[in-house]
């Protein structure tokens, strides 16, 4: 399965179905389901700037450094009418999103490793990649 690393808050917006286009500098011929990986670093966009530009409230908690869900790349086009489209980029239109539920591993509650459900993905592949959560105010 293909995977695409995306900085927060963009990764969360895609898997929640709010953002319908992911922008990249290169085109792709791939169509199909991908894993969405939230990068270790969040985008440096301020909450005020984000709300002013897109008219959407930024998620308050953002998971960093791990698989946060799946989406399906439906097309890769230029231009696109979406407010999320960047005219200088290639827009990957996405649909059929799935946000993964995260749960702690280990009985002691102190484990920093997380796994995801649904079970069709191997926890050993995903668990080591999940990192901290940041809060935006």
């Amino acid at each position: 399965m293909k995977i695409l690393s995306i900085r927060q808050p963009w990764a969360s917006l895609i898997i929640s179905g709010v953002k319908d286009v992911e922008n990249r500098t290169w085109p792709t011929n791939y169509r199909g389901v991908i894993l969405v990986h939230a990068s270790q670093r969040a985008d440096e966009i301020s909450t005020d700037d984000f709300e002013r530009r897109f008219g959407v409230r930024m998620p308050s908690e953002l998971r960093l450094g791990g698989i946060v869900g799946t989406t399906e790349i439906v097309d890769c086009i230029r231009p696109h009418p979406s407010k999320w489209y960047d005219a200088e980029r290639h827009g990957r239109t996405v649909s059929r999103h799935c946000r993964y539920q995260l749960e702690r591993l280990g009985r002691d509650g102190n484990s920093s490793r997380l796994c995801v459900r649904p079970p069709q993905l191997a926890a050993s592949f995903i668990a080591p990649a999940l990192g901290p959560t940041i809060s935006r105010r």
Side-chain angles (χ1 to χ4, degrees), residues 11 25 33-34 41 52 56 58 67 79 81-82 100-101 106 111 134:
T25 56
V33 176
I34 61 167
R41 285 189 322 158
R52 184 175 44 259
V56 175
M58 188 182 297
I67 306 299
S82 172
Y100 288 160
Q101 295 290 70
S111 175
I134 63 166

Side-chain angles (χ1 to χ4, degrees), residues 33-88:
V33 176
I34 61 167
L35 292 169
V36 176
H37 173 265
S39 299
Q40 287 285 357
R41 285 189 322 158
D43 197 323
E44 295 183 5
I45 188 169
S46 73
T47 301
D48 291 339
D49 188 31
F50 182 84
E51 290 180 17
R52 184 175 44 259
R53 285 174 55 194
F54 301 107
V56 175
R57 184 173 300 275
M58 188 182 297
S60 59
E61 288 193 2
L62 302 169
R63 177 66 62 193
L64 297 176
I67 306 299
V68 293
T70 61
T71 193
E72 181 179 358
I73 296 177
V74 178
D75 205 354
C76 182
I77 58 173
R78 288 176 91 168
H80 193 279
S82 172
K83 68 180 173 184
W84 303 104
Y85 175 68
D86 179 345
E88 297 178 12

